[in-house]
Amino acid sequence: MSFEAFKSRFMELTSDPVAIGYIAHDADNARVVYVNSAFSEELGYAAHDVVGKSVDAYHDSETWHDFISAVRPHFAAGDPSFTADAVLIRADGSRLWASASFVVVEEQESQGRYVCATFRDISAFKEAEAVAEKARALLAAAINAFPDPFAIYDKDHALLVWNPAYARSMTDAPDDLKPGIGLKALLLEAARSGRVPEAIGREEEWVEEYYTPDVLAPGVEDFEFRGDRHFRMVRSRTEKGENVVLRLDVSEVVRHRRAAEEYARQLEAANRAIMEKALRDDLTGLGNRRLLTQKLEEFVERKSGSDGEIAVLQIDLDRFKQINDTMGHAAGDHVLVETAKRILDLVEIDDVVSRIGGDEFIALLYVSAGSRRPERLAKSLIASLSRPAHFEGKECRFGASVGLARTPLSDPDELLVNSDLALYKAKRQGRGRLGIFDRADFEEARQNKTLADEIMRGLENAEFLPFYQPQVDAQTGEIVGLEALARWAHPDRGIVSPSGFLRIATDLNVAADIDRMIFERAICECSQFFRSHLAPPSLSFNVSAKRVVESDFDAIRRSVEAYPGQVCFELLETIFLEEESDAFLFHLDRLREFGIGLEIDDFGSGRASVVALQRIGPDRLKIDRRLVAPVSTSSKSHRLLRSIVDIGLALDIEIVAEGVETREQAEILAQLGCNRLQGFLFAAPMALSGVFELFSSSEGLVEARPTR
Ligand code: C2E
Ligand code: CA
Ligand code: CA
């Protein structure tokens, strides 16, 4: 075929760059004889730039030798066509990766060859290949450097890829590992080399068990390896079905976690110990009040989910104080410890026993509804604790009283108060008794509670007001004094006497508030009333010990100044016996400085000594009406009254007799030398309007009817 014909057939048909070279039979290199227009366009060489030159003019010099080595054998073999990759250089110096297809045609006349090269641009492919190759290299480096075992198996479980850590984890000869080795064989190898603790001694058997069809199923699993190492095995599958196995060494994590768990356990134990100690009574080892409160709460919780009931036994030792006082504290402690033992002997395992005060114990029981166990236990406790204890060869005789309260009669949060009430009831009946909080107590408690609410409301609404009971001169019958007595103007029940509210008010700690209200009101109305009167009577007030200690002295001084006559405070004889503190005496002195007289009320009911009387230095003694009542019938009380009057005379203290109901009593008392008389014979307590009538109607009260 002639060259011209060859050229016209092929050259311009293709859009790929084409170059034709001619190699003379004795030459090494081809000379360009033709390039098509696609060649000029792609590479930027005009035909005349390259035609006549060697083909290496547009080949990359760096890769030229590789190229030549690739094509030379084909020439040598006389191949008519072949392909080879080539890197071409464009006119602007840039490179073009090309796949070159060669067609070789012999030229008979000159014995040379025409070589037609068609170039296809494969730069994109080559670049991607280069990136992939680089990534592969990096990945391989990373996998190899990775400290944890990593491997890939094909879908038939033959080893494809692994890193040194993996090899080391499976065999003693990691370098001998070859691709294609089966997982089962490798597992056996690992087992035989002692790497699988659970397989030791039964390696083959273990492999048979372990090597199931889904041994490489994707998933995560933790396991122990060689005793001290812990691994997390992560398995996944590639798209082609290869199995990727990654074993992460989590020994450190596990060790830290275990250490943390151990630490938490120790902390908890220490906490428990501290809590335990904080809930215990040191002496007896029983619970303390805190434990009691806590357990009671737990019981209440438990009760809400079942039909059980809670019972509280309050145990109080009889004669404990005597043992302590006469035999010493060690003996007292011994009795307490012994008591704790005896209680523990009788209770059941779930009962809670606490010591809540010196010689007070509480047993908390959870029982089925209607159970009689609390009563039985109370009785056994009383019996058991009536036996004497022995301390250093001496006998300590004691005993116990028990108060019992239980749900549902008592509310859970009132159990302790009510068992205390029951205990009080038991003690009132004598020693070694059981008191049970019953329906009557419940009613009383309920009424007390209502009353307490009403008292508080009454205080807010200023429902407490003074009544007055006149005191007369024993000789002349003239009104010389008034005792202010508290009354409660109850909105429904009318006028209520102190017996109807004073005890509860004292329990509520508001007796002093009532005292204050009575005091202020009485001073206010009496100072207006008596301002015009010639001889205002003395005005006495009953005050509680609290009132003395908590007085607002400025207010008292101002009030006292407003009243034209003498103001006196009556204090119960028992107050003087109980309140001996310096503060109390100091406060009394201040009151005296304001000109307030002091009277000892209900004198003779307590056991105030002459010494105490001298120390207090009262202005008056009021003889208790229980001593006055029998004066006309009993010579003994007559003598007693005479000696009281004598003491008064000796110490320069006035004597008032109260509760005078008959003319006979009045005469005897006057004869004995009492200074003042007070009682229904003369007048009952009344509102100020009544006092007003008395003052305006007559000169004295000697004719007054005894009224109530
Ligand atoms: P008290 O101080 O011994 O008051 C005398 C009580 O005897 C008054 O009872 C009075 O009504 C009553 N009484 C008067 N004459 C006779 C009589 O001839 N025969 C009998 N059987 N009783 C007579 P009242 O008003 O019910 O007060 C009872 C107690 O309440 C008082 O006893 C006093 O201890 C206390 N009290 C009264 N008012 C107050 C107060 O404002 N503050 C305080 N802290 N206690 C008060
Ligand atoms: Ca009084
Ligand atoms: Ca009295």
Side-chain angles (χ1 to χ4, degrees):
M1 185 194 284
S2 78
F3 167 63
E4 282 309 314
F6 177 69
K7 182 174 127 189
S8 57
R9 275 220 357 236
F10 296 108
M11 295 312 116
E12 303 300 329
L13 284 178
T14 171
S15 59
D16 289 326
V18 174
I20 298 175
Y22 175 78
I23 311 174
H25 73 276
D26 52 351
D28 267 351
N29 244 341
R31 290 197 172 277
V32 179
V33 293
Y34 171 82
V35 294
N36 70 355
S37 47
F39 184 98
S40 301
E41 250 163 61
E42 177 63 51
L43 291 160
Y45 301 110
H48 57 82
D49 290 337
V50 286
V51 171
K53 298 199 174 140
S54 163
V55 294
D56 61 9
Y58 55 85
H59 271 268
D60 172 43
S61 57
E62 275 177 35
T63 53
W64 174 250
H65 280 288
D66 296 343
F67 170 71
I68 289 301
S69 338
V71 298
R72 185 160 287 150
H74 293 291
F75 284 115
D79 291 343
S81 67
F82 54 90
T83 58
D85 287 354
V87 182
L88 307 184
I89 292 284
R90 292 193 182 86
D92 62 9
S94 62
R95 287 154 188 263
L96 174 71
W97 270 100
S99 163
S101 304
F102 294 95
V103 176
V104 184
V105 181
E106 299 288 336
E107 214 269 352
Q108 275 102 26
E109 295 133 48
S110 65
Q111 293 188 348
R113 281 171 288 188
Y114 286 105
V115 180
C116 174
T118 306
F119 301 101
R120 206 155 283 126
D121 182 354
I122 56 164
S123 311
F125 173 72
K126 280 289 173 191
E127 269 159 34
E129 208 178 51
V131 170
E133 181 49 42
K134 204 167 161 189
R136 241 193 314 275
L138 279 173
L139 195 63
I143 288 172
N144 284 340
F146 196 56
D148 291 318
F150 175 88
I152 301 180
Y153 288 88
D154 68 12
K155 57 184 180 354
D156 301 322
H157 296 178
L159 190 59
L160 281 180
V161 175
W162 66 95
N163 70 353
Y166 187 80
R168 281 197 302 275
S169 77
M170 301 300 278
T171 166
D172 285 340
D175 294 339
D176 295 350
L177 222 53
K178 294 280 178 300
I181 185 169
L183 172 61
K184 194 176 178 184
L186 212 50
L187 285 172
L188 188 59
E189 169 86 28
R192 282 192 179 138
S193 56
R195 286 172 162 75
V196 186
E198 59 182 289
I200 289 172
R202 51 186 287 273
E203 290 76 8
E204 279 75 13
E205 221 176 303
W206 175 78
V207 172
E208 288 307 324
E209 279 165 24
Y210 187 79
Y211 187 75
T212 57
D214 48 316
V215 63
L216 289 178
V220 178
E221 180 190 321
D222 285 346
F223 64 98
E224 208 175 307
F225 194 73
R226 265 197 184 165
D228 57 338
R229 320 275 319 150
H230 292 266
F231 283 90
R232 171 155 300 177
M233 175 118 87
V234 184
R235 291 178 306 249
S236 65
R237 210 156 266 173
T238 68
E239 275 172 18
K240 288 189 211 154
E242 292 147 347
N243 299 285
V244 180
V245 177
L246 174 62
R247 256 190 273 131
L248 294 168
D249 186 341
V250 289
S251 312
E252 273 300 281
V253 179
V254 171
R255 209 170 53 74
H256 280 295
R257 197 186 58 216
R258 291 209 174 147
E261 279 168 4
E262 177 56 27
Y263 183 65
R265 243 194 317 277
Q266 283 172 6
L267 209 63
E268 209 185 287
N271 255 345
R272 248 200 319 272
I274 292 170
M275 287 298 292
E276 181 70 2
K277 194 152 166 44
L279 296 173
R280 290 284 152 201
D281 166 44
D282 280 343
L283 177 66
T284 60
L286 296 177
N288 56 18
R289 191 177 281 277
R290 221 177 290 141
L291 179 83
L292 174 68
T293 321
Q294 193 174 307
K295 289 291 178 185
L296 184 56
E297 271 169 25
E298 280 176 33
F299 278 25
V300 171
E301 193 128 300
R302 187 166 152 198
K303 186 170 140 55
S304 70
S306 79
D307 51 2
E309 297 294 348
I310 306 170
V312 168
L313 269 73
Q314 192 147 173
I315 306 150
D316 187 279
L317 296 190
D318 301 324
R319 284 184 294 262
F320 176 72
K321 195 172 156 11
Q322 281 105 299
I323 293 176
N324 236 352
D325 290 350
T326 58
M327 301 175 71
H329 283 286
D333 285 357
H334 175 75
V335 166
L336 293 174
V337 172
E338 181 63 27
T339 301
K341 267 196 215 135
R342 292 189 197 175
I343 297 177
L344 287 178
D345 274 351
L346 291 169
V347 297
E348 287 184 3
I349 187 88
D350 284 342
D351 299 344
V352 178
V353 184
S354 292
R355 181 164 79 116
I356 57 159
D359 61 342
E360 275 185 58
F361 299 82
I362 290 212
L364 187 63
L365 278 58
Y366 193 86
V367 295
S368 53
S371 157
R372 308 301 296 164
R373 187 163 78 83
E375 286 80 358
R376 281 200 308 272
L377 175 60
K379 284 180 186 147
S380 333
L381 283 170
I382 292 171
S384 163
L385 294 172
S386 70
R387 285 186 286 115
H390 295 275
F391 180 69
E392 290 178 350
K394 273 176 279 177
E395 200 172 63
C396 311
R397 304 201 134 267
F398 63 109
S401 304
V402 176
L404 166 64
R406 60 190 295 175
T407 57
L409 184 61
S410 295
D411 263 359
D413 55 347
E414 278 163 4
L415 277 170
L416 291 173
V417 175
N418 293 347
S419 62
D420 194 38
L421 280 176
L423 175 66
Y424 180 70
K425 222 165 71 169
K427 291 218 148 194
R428 255 186 331 207
Q429 291 168 3
R431 290 165 175 170
R433 304 271 183 145
L434 167 62
I436 298 178
F437 183 83
D438 56 22
R439 188 141 282 282
D441 300 318
F442 173 77
E443 269 313 309
E444 197 186 315
R446 204 175 53 90
Q447 280 169 12
N448 285 349
K449 196 165 164 350
T450 318
L451 190 58
D453 290 344
E454 285 185 339
I455 289 174
M456 296 312 280
R457 194 212 54 223
L459 267 170
E460 248 166 60
N461 298 346
E463 288 168 5
F464 295 92
L465 48 84
F467 264 32
Y468 304 91
Q469 187 174 31
Q471 296 172 345
V472 301
D473 183 302
Q475 306 306 321
T476 67
E478 212 184 321
I479 300 178
V480 286
L482 295 175
E483 176 180 5
L485 292 157
R487 291 295 180 270
W488 180 9
H490 191 282
D492 304 325
R493 284 187 264 143
I495 299 295
V496 179
S497 291
S499 60
F501 60 84
L502 204 58
R503 189 178 59 81
I504 305 280
T506 307
D507 287 350
L508 285 173
N509 235 337
V510 295
D513 297 298
I514 295 180
D515 287 356
R516 185 174 307 114
M517 195 174 286
I518 300 302
F519 178 73
E520 279 164 8
R521 288 196 155 188
I523 291 278
C524 178
E525 59 185 26
C526 286
S527 57
Q528 278 163 13
F529 175 68
F530 287 108
R531 202 150 285 283
S532 55
H533 199 275
L534 285 178
S538 67
L539 190 52
S540 314
F541 295 93
N542 295 283
V543 297
S544 51
K546 265 254 162 65
R547 169 90 171 123
V548 173
V549 183
E550 287 175 4
S551 275
D552 174 359
F553 288 103
D554 282 341
I556 290 181
R557 198 190 56 231
R558 276 196 302 276
S559 300
V560 168
E561 280 167 5
Y563 185 71
Q566 201 207 8
V567 174
C568 299
F569 276 6
E570 295 185 11
L571 282 113
L572 291 175
E573 184 184 18
T574 46
I575 296 182
F576 286 107
L577 296 177
E578 284 157 14
E579 300 281 338
E580 285 179 325
S581 70
D582 289 345
F584 181 75
L585 294 175
F586 173 75
H587 284 132
L588 280 187
D589 276 343
R590 287 197 70 183
L591 292 174
R592 236 189 296 248
E593 279 166 25
F594 302 155
I596 295 176
L598 288 185
E599 300 183 13
I600 298 186
D601 205 354
D602 294 355
F603 187 76
S605 61
R607 263 165 270 162
S609 64
V610 175
V611 178
L613 270 187
Q614 269 181 308
R615 194 181 60 215
I616 300 155
D619 299 275
R620 270 180 220 117
L621 295 181
K622 292 187 80 172
I623 302 173
D624 195 292
R625 39 171 201 284
R626 279 163 298 179
L627 296 183
V628 171
V631 75
S632 55
T633 50
S634 147
S635 57
K636 195 174 158 204
S637 79
H638 190 275
R639 282 200 300 278
L640 186 61
L641 284 191
R642 178 188 295 278
S643 53
I644 292 178
V645 173
D646 284 345
I647 291 172
L649 277 175
L651 298 177
D652 200 16
I653 302 173
E654 270 195 33
I655 305 294
V656 185
E658 65 176 356
V660 183
E661 293 183 351
T662 67
R663 181 162 301 282
E664 215 184 343
Q665 289 167 346
E667 277 166 7
I668 295 171
L669 292 162
Q671 262 175 17
L672 280 172
C674 288
N675 305 85
R676 291 180 179 202
L677 305 179
Q678 176 183 353
F680 292 160
L681 173 66
F682 310 103
M686 61 188 82
L688 188 65
S689 55
V691 177
F692 175 74
E693 272 172 36
L694 284 182
F695 270 87
S696 44
S697 67
S698 69
E699 299 81 50
L701 282 171
V702 190
E703 299 302 318
R705 297 169 273 119
T707 47
R708 235 178 204 281

